[in-house]
């Protein structure tokens, strides 16, 4: 088993319990491209971006990342906007959003090699245990 956590807005999120990484690796490598201008600069108004992701079904369904058991207490949205990978997260304990909205933006050129390396590692580790 592996531990899966994310760093969003400079904060390490997720618990330390072991989990299965396969779903996370596939989902993080296949983020949706969005052109919605409200999502272009999520740092300027984090809650406006989160509100759009929560209330508009098409945005919500395409960006919600249900990726690992270790992140069960978090609502996380991920998408690509004009060459940047954007992650928006908020605590979601017992179905009620808590704490601040966290946002990280990384250039796709920096993000893609990291995800490719993680997916490659996961693939090799999965084949070794099979």
């Amino acid at each position: 088993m592996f531990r899966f956590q994310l760093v969003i807005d400079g904060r390490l999120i997720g618990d330390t319990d072991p989990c299965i990484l396969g779903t996370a690796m596939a989902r993080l490598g296949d983020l949706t491209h969005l052109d919605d201008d409200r999502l272009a600069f999520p740092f300027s108004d984090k809650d406006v971006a989160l509100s759009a992701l929560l209330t508009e079904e098409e945005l919500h369904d395409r960006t919600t990342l249900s990726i690992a058991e270790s992140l069960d207490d978090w609502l996380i949205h991920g998408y690509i906007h004009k060459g940047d990978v954007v992650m928006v997260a908020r605590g979601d304990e017992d179905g009620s959003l808590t704490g601040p909205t966290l946002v990280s933006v990384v250039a796709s050129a920096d993000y893609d090699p990291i995800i490719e390396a993680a997916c490659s590692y996961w693939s090799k580790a999965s084949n070794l245990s099979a």
Side-chain angles (χ1 to χ4, degrees):
M1 297 298 261
F2 297 87
R3 181 186 313 173
F4 185 81
Q5 297 171 307
L6 290 173
V7 176
I8 298 179
D9 214 351
R11 182 169 168 191
L12 182 65
I13 62 172
D15 62 41
T16 59
D17 292 335
C19 65
I20 299 170
L21 292 181
T23 304
M25 296 298 95
R27 186 67 180 102
L28 290 172
D30 190 31
L31 296 174
T32 300
H33 290 262
L34 297 176
D35 292 325
D36 192 310
D37 287 337
R38 293 170 297 173
L39 306 176
F41 302 104
F43 286 119
S44 61
D45 196 338
K46 296 175 181 183
D47 292 324
V48 167
L50 181 62
S51 178
L53 294 168
L54 289 173
T55 58
E56 296 187 28
E57 188 174 335
E58 180 180 346
L59 293 177
H60 179 78
D61 293 347
R62 294 173 63 197
T63 64
T64 300
L65 301 177
S66 177
I67 54 180
E69 299 90 341
S70 59
L71 298 170
D72 282 348
D73 290 334
W74 289 90
L75 174 65
I76 302 172
H77 294 274
Y79 57 92
I80 299 171
H81 188 277
K82 296 183 180 176
D84 289 326
V85 174
V86 180
M87 296 286 173
V88 179
R90 192 151 188 203
D92 187 22
E93 296 179 33
D94 301 322
S96 60
L97 295 177
T98 59
T101 301
L102 307 174
V103 174
S104 284
V105 178
V106 177
S108 291
D110 296 329
Y111 177 86
D112 292 343
I114 294 168
I115 290 303
E116 287 172 19
C119 288
S120 175
Y121 172 79
W122 170 248
S123 177
K124 288 175 186 172
S126 295
N127 290 333
L128 290 175
S129 64

